[in-house]
Structure formats: structure tokens, C-alpha cells
Amino acid sequence: MLVLGIETTCDETACAVVKDGKEILSNIISSQIDLHREYGGVVPELACRRHVDVIIPIIEEALKQANIALKDIDLFAVAHGPGLIGALLIGINTVKALAFALNKPFIGINHVEAHLYSALMTHPQCSPFPAIGAVLSGGHTALLHMKEPTEYTLIGETIDDAIGEAFDKTAKILGLPYPGGPEIERLALRGDPHFYSFKTGKIKEKPFHFSFSGLKTSVLYTVKKQDSSMNHDLIIPEERKKDVAASFQKVAFDDIIVKIKLAATTYQCDTIVWGGGVTNNQYLRNQFKLECPHLKSLWPSLGLSLDNAAMIAGLGYHVFTKKGFGDSLALKAMTRIPFI
Ligand code: KG4
Ligand code: ZN
């Protein structure tokens, strides 16, 4: 089955052609980082306009690279949430129009679930279930108990900022460019992770939930001034920035690693399926291996860790096969999709 996937949840316009849920024939990603960098974060209106401009050329490129004609596509899959409402609508309406015109089925996919499918696609020979899924991205931080590629239970999530958002905001405080995650990782390489004692939030009686907004604020008050705003000048010497980056990164990942370890014990799982852009972080990968040598990790490959459409097409194949039919034209864009 040839599936064409489309992803427009935030600031990447992506299209991919995937065969039978695993063989990636093309995976085209048009990033908007250049557009949003000068604002230090994603500007939704600009994101939507760029999606509209590039979506058709991106689809054409994905078909060309896959050497497939549009009429040969068996199923269309689209990320229908969670994400920016306007951005989602562009992908969804494109897919609805294509499917309607060609008289083919289409299916809406949960972007967060698809991030976990990226790791399964990277390791097609592994059948890790039951497993703990960890989605660490710019918009989401979630721990899931995974029973199969399409069946999950949410066991924990962030109650405020997502982990990637915390990296991006900390980078902004330090005057580093967007997206901040890779910048913090690079700067932290030279820093002392014990120089500052930052803390993550604890949530009463919710051992698997996360809170990163207090951590971001304590970084702000440490490097600028108590009760200051983002625009205040730094009150620490320039050479201390690397220690801020290292201390922030350590405390954020310590929190995540402790909770994943506890989830693996509680739910008796020995494999962690990782997803989302933050999993590109090499410090996290090394630290997890060091602290949890008994747990096996399935990491997404580099091309599948950030937002992409191959994960949407891949998961689309499984969801459609399991359900036996596609969605109707009533499929809605959803800014949030609760896990059942
Ligand atoms: O999964 P993704 O492409 O987008 C969302 O679904 O949100 O993840 C983007 C996020 C950004 O916040 C970015 O700063 C972060 O992933 N990121 C990293 C690294 N590479 C990307 N965070 C920490 N370390 C990295 N190396
Ligand atoms: Zn994402």
C-alpha cells in the first residue's frame, strides 16, 4: 500500500511517500527556521502563509523522488493535531481535496503518536511491546505505555512548558538563536553542569508529570535579575553562559530520566521508544545509557526525529489497516488531542 503523508502542524511543511508503513520512498521537509528566527519563536500567521506557498511544490517533489504518480497513491494520511489551528487546516484541506478528487481514502493522524512511530520505523526488526514511549519535542512532553504501534495509554505529560520549549526559551534568555535546543547542547559541552543549582517542578501525586516553566523562570532570574523580563541585560559574565546551559540541560534531563526509569519499573517494560526533536540531544542519549544500562532504547534516526511526514504516512498505514476504513470529510483540525 502506497501512502502519501502530509505534516503541517507547526513550522515544517512536509510530504512523504511510504510503502506498507515502513519503506520510505521519499521524505521531503521544508523548514521555516529562517522565517521565524528573527522573532525568536514561531509566528503562527507567518507559518500558515509559508505552508500555503510551499505545500503543492513539496507534494510534487515527494512524488518525483519516490518516482510515483499521484494516481498510484492508495491512501492519504495527514497530521490533524495537535498543532497550530491555521497550519493544521492547510494540510487537512489539501489532503481532503486530493483524496476527494482521486476517490481515495484519507486518514487523520495524531502527530504525537507519529513521533513514536518514527523510532519504530527506524528499527523495523524490533517488536518492543509493551514499551514506554517518551515524546520530547518543542510542543509536547509525554510518557506513554505502548501496547502496540496504535495502542497507547498516557501516563504522564507536562503541565506547562514542553521540554523543547524550555530549551528554546532558555536559549532566548541567553541570547542564542532559535531553535535553541541544539544551541544549548553545543554551549553546554564546555560548561560545568554543577555550577548552578536549578530545579524542575514536582507535581503532587503525579509521579510521571512534568513541569518546566519554573525552571525557565529561575534561569531568567539567575542570569538577568529577580522579577526581570526577557529583554533585561545579562547580569552574569558572558563566560558563565556555558555553565547556565550545562546546568539547565542536566537538571531538565535528570528529571526526564528519573521518570522514565520509574515508568519502566512500574509498568514492567524493558524498552523505551523515543520520539521528537529533543531526542537528537547526544548528552541525553549518553546519560540515559549510563544511568539505565538495563533498558533498551529505540531512538529515531536523524531524518525522522524532527517533524516529518514519513512518520505520518507510516502510522497512517497501521491506523487505516486496523480500522479498515478512512475518515470522512468531517475530520477536524484539533489543537489538542486527548489520549483515551
Ligand atoms: O519534534 P520537533 O521537530 O517539533 C515539535 O513537534 O514540537 O522538535 C523541535 C524541538 C525544538 O524545541 C528544538 O529546540 C528541539 O526540538 N531540539 C533539541 C535538539 N534538537 C532539536 N533540543 C535539545 N537538544 C537538541 N540537540
Ligand atoms: Zn513534532
Side-chain angles (χ1 to χ4, degrees):
M1 180 184 273
L2 287 171
V3 186
L4 184 139
I6 288 189
E7 154 65 40
T8 60
T9 58
C10 188
D11 61 342
E12 265 91 27
T13 322
C15 180
V17 179
V18 175
K19 193 175 170 191
D20 297 335
K22 47 181 185 285
E23 195 186 334
I24 301 172
L25 304 184
S26 62
N27 187 18
I28 310 294
I29 304 170
S30 167
S31 165
Q32 304 183 355
I33 286 177
D34 59 319
L35 188 65
H36 302 292
R37 186 159 266 177
E38 79 171 278
Y39 305 99
V42 177
V43 183
E45 179 61 27
L46 294 182
C48 293
R49 288 184 201 185
R50 179 68 73 83
H51 285 310
V52 171
D53 286 345
V54 305
I55 193 152
I56 300 297
I58 293 290
I59 294 171
E60 286 170 344
E61 185 59 28
L63 288 166
K64 190 172 151 204
Q65 279 201 17
N67 203 15
I68 298 283
L70 192 56
K71 66 172 176 43
D72 297 327
I73 296 295
D74 300 302
L75 171 72
F76 293 92
V78 62
H80 75 117
L84 303 171
I85 190 78
L88 290 165
L89 283 170
I90 294 156
I92 292 173
N93 287 329
T94 305
V95 155
K96 283 181 180 174
L98 289 171
F100 188 70
L102 293 156
N103 198 20
K104 296 283 171 72
F106 70 93
I107 193 128
I109 293 299
N110 180 334
H111 175 92
V112 176
E113 291 180 10
H115 265 306
L116 293 177
Y117 190 72
S118 287
L120 301 175
M121 253 177 144
T122 307
H123 306 273
Q125 70 289 1
C126 291
S127 179
F129 306 109
I132 297 298
V135 181
L136 309 178
S137 75
H140 316 280
T141 311
L143 293 186
L144 300 113
H145 183 215
M146 303 176 74
K147 287 150 215 147
E148 53 173 280
T150 54
E151 212 190 312
Y152 319 85
T153 318
L154 182 75
I155 58 178
E157 63 185 333
T158 179
I159 60 157
D160 41 55
D161 291 351
I163 177 70
E165 193 181 350
F167 267 85
D168 294 339
K169 286 179 177 168
T170 297
K172 196 171 177 181
I173 293 167
L174 293 175
L176 302 170
Y178 174 83
E183 303 287 335
I184 294 277
E185 180 178 13
R186 209 169 299 132
L187 194 60
L189 282 174
R190 298 184 282 115
D192 173 3
H194 302 285
F195 195 91
Y196 293 101
S197 55
F198 298 131
K199 280 193 185 67
T200 51
K202 299 275 168 282
I203 302 102
K204 229 176 167 185
E205 289 166 23
K206 303 252 189 216
F208 304 118
H209 276 38
F210 301 92
S211 169
F212 296 113
S213 100
L215 169 62
K216 167 204 67 194
T217 308
S218 57
V219 171
L220 177 69
Y221 292 173
T222 304
V223 307
K224 301 221 162 167
K225 194 164 84 60
Q226 196 67 24
D227 299 324
S228 69
S229 72
M230 278 287 208
N231 304 327
H232 199 281
D233 290 336
L234 289 183
I235 55 164
I236 56 160
E238 195 65 20
E239 68 270 17
R240 281 274 160 270
K241 278 162 79 169
K242 59 184 187 325
D243 303 320
V244 174
S247 305
F248 160 82
Q249 178 175 259
K250 179 179 164 30
V251 81
F253 285 146
D254 277 354
D255 185 51
I256 288 173
I257 292 172
V258 163
K259 286 171 184 166
I260 291 180
K261 204 170 167 178
L262 179 66
T265 311
T266 309
Y267 291 88
Q268 298 182 350
C269 297
D270 59 9
T271 306
I272 314 301
V273 178
W274 300 86
V278 179
T279 66
N280 275 342
N281 190 292
Q282 210 51 50
Y283 171 87
L284 166 68
R285 293 189 182 208
N286 295 340
Q287 208 57 25
F288 189 79
K289 201 168 169 190
L290 214 65
E291 290 181 31
C292 306
H294 58 295
L295 294 174
K296 189 176 168 195
S297 279
L298 299 187
W299 299 97
S301 66
L302 210 59
L304 296 179
S305 59
L306 295 167
D307 286 351
N308 67 87
M311 66 183 190
I312 306 296
L315 184 58
Y317 165 82
H318 289 279
V319 174
F320 180 79
T321 318
K322 193 173 170 193
K323 244 170 95 167
F325 54 89
D327 283 317
S328 78
L329 288 172
L331 178 75
K332 280 196 172 63
M334 296 176 77
T335 50
R336 285 180 59 82
I337 305 183
F339 281 90
I340 315 138

